[in-house]
Structures are given as C-alpha cells and as structure tokens.
Amino acid sequence: MRRKYYKIRSESEDNNQTDGSVLTKVKPKTKKPSLYKVLMLNDDYTPMEFVIEVLEKFFGKRQDEATQIMLHVHQKGIGVCGIYTYEIAETKAVQVTNYARKYEHPLQLQLEKE
C-alpha cells in the first residue's frame, strides 16, 4: 500500500522549525463484488425445450450452449446457468421463476456464492 506524507504547517514553520508531525493519507481500495452462480435444478415436469428457451432468453446462451447446459441439468440434476454479482443473479433467478410459473412449470433456481 502506498502512502503519501504531507507536512502539517505550523506557526513555527516561518522560523524554519517544524514539530515533526506527519499526516498520512491512505487511498481506500475498492473491493470487487462477490460473484454468485445461478444454478438450475432438474425436475421431471419442465419440458427440455422450455429450459433451452429460458437459457437463451434470460442468460443469453446460444442454442447449442443452452442445449448442453440443459442436458447437464437433466443428467446430473443441477447445472450452472451463469455467474453474476448478487443483484444480477437474484434478478435473473426471480425473472426465470416468474416466467416458469406463468407457464405452470415448477422450474427451480438457486444461487451459490462463487
């Protein structure tokens, strides 16, 4: 961490005398936000085509990539849709859940800290 030192002016400075006091200025470092995985859980009711549609529409996946994720979810029971900051991950999960409920699908998503 780099520190900059500034001399504090005093009345005795005019007489070329200082009291030796030092003011330290530290630049605050910004912390990178935590990332979260949006995980899709497998169920026996949501059609595979609907899952592919969701992955394309909400997660910006190409059809081939969405198909691979859907197959992974189908075979392994869970799969990663994307990795985002918490606010974005939560928003996407809520949007997908609402969209799935609109079409009466029980699709479930979870967030997991990266």
Side-chain angles (χ1 to χ4, degrees):
M1 181 183 307
R2 297 182 84 188
R3 294 184 178 178
K4 291 184 180 181
Y5 296 96
Y6 298 93
K7 191 164 81 173
I8 299 174
R9 298 179 142 275
S10 65
E11 291 178 20
S12 61
E13 197 167 33
D14 293 333
N15 300 330
N16 292 329
Q17 297 174 4
T18 61
D19 61 2
S21 298
V22 176
L23 174 67
T24 303
K25 182 178 181 180
V26 179
K27 288 185 178 181
K29 288 194 173 190
T30 55
K31 184 180 172 185
K32 290 185 178 181
S34 298
L35 297 177
Y36 289 79
K37 295 178 192 175
V38 179
L39 303 173
M40 182 178 287
L41 305 177
N42 187 40
D43 64 67
D44 294 330
Y45 304 101
T46 305
M48 293 178 176
E49 296 78 17
F50 185 81
V51 172
I52 292 170
E53 178 187 340
V54 163
L55 290 165
E56 291 173 343
K57 183 173 183 161
F58 293 96
F59 297 97
K61 305 298 183 188
R62 296 180 322 272
Q63 187 173 11
D64 60 329
E65 189 178 8
T67 301
Q68 290 301 314
I69 294 169
M70 177 275 298
L71 288 172
H72 183 84
V73 170
H74 181 69
Q75 294 166 355
K76 306 290 184 181
I78 193 167
V80 178
C81 300
I83 301 172
Y84 309 94
T85 59
Y86 180 78
E87 291 80 10
I88 294 172
E90 182 181 42
T91 299
K92 287 187 179 290
V94 168
Q95 288 173 334
V96 170
T97 301
N98 291 340
Y99 186 72
R101 296 307 171 268
K102 178 180 173 182
Y103 292 98
E104 300 180 355
H105 297 303
L107 189 62
Q108 292 183 5
L109 298 170
Q110 291 181 348
L111 301 185
E112 179 181 286
K113 193 168 186 179
E114 173 87 329

